[in-house]
Amino acid sequence: MSDITNLTDKITQDAQKKRDQYLKKAQKDIEKNEQYKKDQIERQTEENLKQFEKEKQANLSLKVSDIHVKARSKLLAAKQQLLEELFAESLKKIKAMSEEDFNQYVSSNLNQVQLNGDVELVVGQDSINYATEENKKVWQEAAAPEMNLSVSERTIPKRGGFLLRQGEIEYNFTFEAILSTSEEELSGELLSLIFDEE
């Protein structure tokens, strides 16, 4: 009977060894599988964090860019408003020039055009107070001898200065036209003086 007991004990021991081996193997497989899953989750989490960080940076860059564009737009609008105010003030000052200065303005421009024959001078509505009989004579005397200058009774609405017309040809010496011509050239210089742009 001791043989049977020994055999039973041996079978039991072998079964326990196998069970222990199986449990160890199963435990190792479980741990290995858990470690693989854990590594996989960590990699996925790291990738998600990187992607989130990229998206956050992109979003932040867009917001900063938007703020920069809005600030630049406001600055440009302020510059444009300032230029408009400066040119409006310049126009106001030009329109208020003295009679002597206006006569000089007309005379110098008459000498520049070098027209022959009949030429009509049309005064702007805002400069009509300069068109006295005495000043008309000054203008006619300032014209070249080959120019037959006549001053029109008509005026240029809402303008200062004057026009010279000869047939289809028209020379525009209104203050608005003169300022408009020099506005683009002066704008850059004025802005660099005002805003110290480099």
Side-chain angles (χ1 to χ4, degrees), residues 83-93 179:
L83 281 177
E84 288 170 7
E85 288 173 9
L86 285 171
F87 281 104
E89 185 63 30
S90 297
L91 183 61
K92 188 177 175 182
K93 286 180 180 178
L179 277 178

Side-chain angles (χ1 to χ4, degrees), residues 31-61:
E31 286 174 5
K32 189 176 178 180
N33 194 22
E34 281 179 356
Q35 186 62 42
Y36 174 77
K37 292 282 186 187
K38 184 180 174 186
D39 291 345
Q40 197 175 23
I41 289 169
E42 284 177 1
R43 276 194 307 273
Q44 187 64 45
T45 302
E46 197 173 308
E47 285 175 21
N48 289 346
L49 284 173
K50 283 180 183 176
Q51 185 63 31
F52 175 76
E53 190 62 35
K54 280 183 186 176
E55 289 172 7
K56 193 170 102 178
Q57 282 295 95
N59 193 20
L60 181 63
S61 292

Side-chain angles (χ1 to χ4, degrees), residues 55-189:
E55 289 172 7
K56 193 170 102 178
Q57 282 295 95
N59 193 20
L60 181 63
S61 292
L62 282 174
K63 286 180 180 179
V64 168
S65 178
D66 188 43
I67 289 168
H68 180 71
V69 167
K70 285 179 181 176
R72 186 158 170 76
S73 292
K74 285 181 182 180
L75 180 62
L76 288 173
K79 288 178 179 182
Q80 185 60 39
Q81 182 180 353
L82 183 59
L83 281 177
E84 288 170 7
E85 288 173 9
L86 285 171
F87 281 104
E89 185 63 30
S90 297
L91 183 61
K92 188 177 175 182
K93 286 180 180 178
I94 289 173
K95 286 182 178 183
M97 73 170 59
S98 70
E99 188 173 309
E100 183 181 328
D101 288 340
F102 189 82
N103 285 341
Q104 180 61 40
Y105 178 70
V106 172
S107 299
S108 66
N109 285 305
L110 281 170
N111 291 328
Q112 284 180 359
V113 292
Q114 300 176 354
L115 292 172
N116 298 323
D118 292 337
V119 177
E120 180 183 36
L121 187 145
V122 183
V123 179
Q125 182 181 13
D126 295 343
S127 298
I128 195 66
N129 59 326
Y130 298 116
T132 64
E133 290 304 317
E134 187 179 308
N135 285 341
K136 289 178 185 179
K137 287 178 186 173
V138 170
W139 303 337
Q140 287 168 335
E141 288 171 9
E146 56 275 355
M147 186 188 302
N148 180 24
L149 184 70
S150 63
V151 181
S152 176
E153 294 299 318
R154 292 176 292 137
T155 61
I156 311 160
K158 300 179 183 176
R159 294 284 183 260
F162 65 98
L163 295 175
L164 289 177
R165 287 188 182 145
Q166 185 177 48
E168 297 295 317
I169 300 170
E170 185 174 275
Y171 292 88
N172 190 343
F173 295 104
T174 59
F175 300 143
E176 292 79 5
I178 300 297
L179 277 178
S180 177
T181 302
S182 59
E183 182 174 0
E184 191 172 314
E185 182 183 316
L186 290 174
S187 293
E189 292 177 32

